[in-house]
Amino acid sequence: MQIVFLDASTLHSGELDLSVLERQGSLTCFPVSAESEIPERIANADIVITNKALMTAKNIAAAPQLKLIVSCATGVNQIDLDAATAANVLVSNVAGYSTPSVAQHVFTFILNFATQIPQFNQQSRAWPNFPIFTSLAHPCFDLAGKTLGIIGLGEIGGATARLALAFGMHVQVLAREGSTAKLMPELARVPAEAFFASSDFISLHCPLTPTTQGCINTQTLSQMKPTAYLINTGRGPLVNEADLAEALSSGTIAGAALDVLSSEPPAADNPLILSQHPQLVLTPHTAWSTLEARQRLLAGVAENIDSFIAGAPTNRIV
């Protein structure tokens, strides 16, 4: 088996042992692959691994021996599933590997807003010159008693909810018409207007669909408390970024923390990249990327390849 990993640098920078991917064949790794480079690189591949490298219909057609595409992620939007099906190519993914890591990242955002540690750290070198022993320059607050609103109560949303409950927070979930979600039925499902108006923090964990795209916009932001914070570790296009930048600038909400943007890397003129708001925190899509999460992801990719070779493919999408 010829196995080609098109963008191995999205998984590791030398700290992981990729030899587990060689159990079933010869492995060729490329750090990244531009779309124009992909047809030649996979021409003789039996198995392709991709995180963000595009497996379009054209690229799938360029690999006549191709039997399996493994998404080195949960999402498969980088793969033309219809073309894969037509070519009799199986597609698999890896789910659940980043749940504790992303929930941890969400709560790091929440705790930083509650404690103002980044702001206090910036002024800590001036501490010898303080007139008193402490600083009240950046007001802090307790999380106990505050309300966390979750949009999308899947595995990551549920893990985040459990952390919030451990801190003594109230947790509520945005009610969705027709939802059959069963996770944590004890949590209140709250209609949209009341949900936005009563949440001290709102954390996004829903999938990106035509219905959810841009669901955080001028209208929904205007319904939030001026003391509330928005957190997005889900999908960038859930948020209208221009509307959020304006809401921060005008004081409509107190702050926001985002690990994802609508395009990545973002354009230099992205309104959130340009914003100088002191309570806007951006991390470059790192919530998923703890060492342990990437080890779990690697193990999942290897298992998908092993099970396919054994004739009993797991985590099959098509």
Side-chain angles (χ1 to χ4, degrees), residues 28-140:
T28 301
C29 291
F30 299 97
V32 294
S33 293
E35 187 171 1
S36 60
E37 297 172 320
I38 292 174
E40 181 179 355
R41 291 180 173 184
I42 66 172
N44 297 312
D46 299 289
I47 297 171
V48 167
I49 305 167
T50 172
N51 185 328
K52 301 298 182 187
L54 297 177
M55 287 299 292
T56 61
K58 175 184 176 181
N59 290 338
I60 290 171
Q65 298 176 196
L66 188 60
K67 303 172 180 65
L68 173 69
I69 303 171
V70 182
S71 176
C72 187
T74 300
V76 292
N77 57 300
Q78 77 279 34
I79 303 167
D80 187 325
L81 300 180
D82 291 335
T85 300
N88 198 30
V89 174
L90 271 64
V91 176
S92 65
N93 72 338
V94 184
Y97 63 90
S98 66
T99 297
S101 308
V102 177
Q104 170 179 286
H105 203 88
V106 172
F107 239 81
T108 300
F109 283 151
I110 291 175
L111 286 166
N112 276 334
F113 285 133
T115 63
Q116 294 294 299
I117 284 176
Q119 287 69 30
F120 283 121
N121 180 57
Q122 287 180 358
Q123 69 175 129
S124 64
R125 302 309 182 270
W127 195 358
N129 301 318
F130 283 14
I132 59 175
F133 73 97
T134 188
S135 172
L136 302 179
H138 306 288
C140 308

Side-chain angles (χ1 to χ4, degrees), residues 135-170:
S135 172
L136 302 179
H138 306 288
C140 308
F141 54 86
D142 288 343
L143 291 179
K146 299 296 190 296
T147 297
L148 172 63
I150 292 179
I151 301 180
L153 193 68
E155 290 301 318
I156 295 175
T160 302
R162 287 187 286 274
L163 288 175
L165 292 169
F167 274 86
M169 299 182 75
H170 304 300

Side-chain angles (χ1 to χ4, degrees), residues 28 79 108 190 228 261 267 271 277 291:
T28 301
I79 303 167
T108 300
V190 180
L261 292 176
H277 194 280
L291 176 60

Side-chain angles (χ1 to χ4, degrees), residues 220-280:
T220 51
L221 288 163
S222 69
Q223 295 170 345
M224 293 173 64
K225 299 178 181 182
T227 55
Y229 297 84
L230 175 73
I231 297 170
N232 187 15
T233 56
R235 293 290 183 264
L238 297 173
V239 176
N240 183 308
E241 292 162 351
D243 289 358
L244 176 56
E246 174 58 30
L248 290 168
S249 177
S250 65
T252 301
I253 64 172
L258 301 94
D259 184 58
V260 288
L261 292 176
S262 56
S263 62
E264 296 170 352
D269 62 353
N270 181 295
L272 297 178
I273 294 294
L274 294 176
S275 174
Q276 298 297 311
H277 194 280
Q279 297 295 311
L280 171 62

Side-chain angles (χ1 to χ4, degrees), residues 204-215:
L204 308 182
H205 301 284
C206 53
L208 179 62
T209 68
T211 301
T212 63
Q213 182 169 354
C215 65

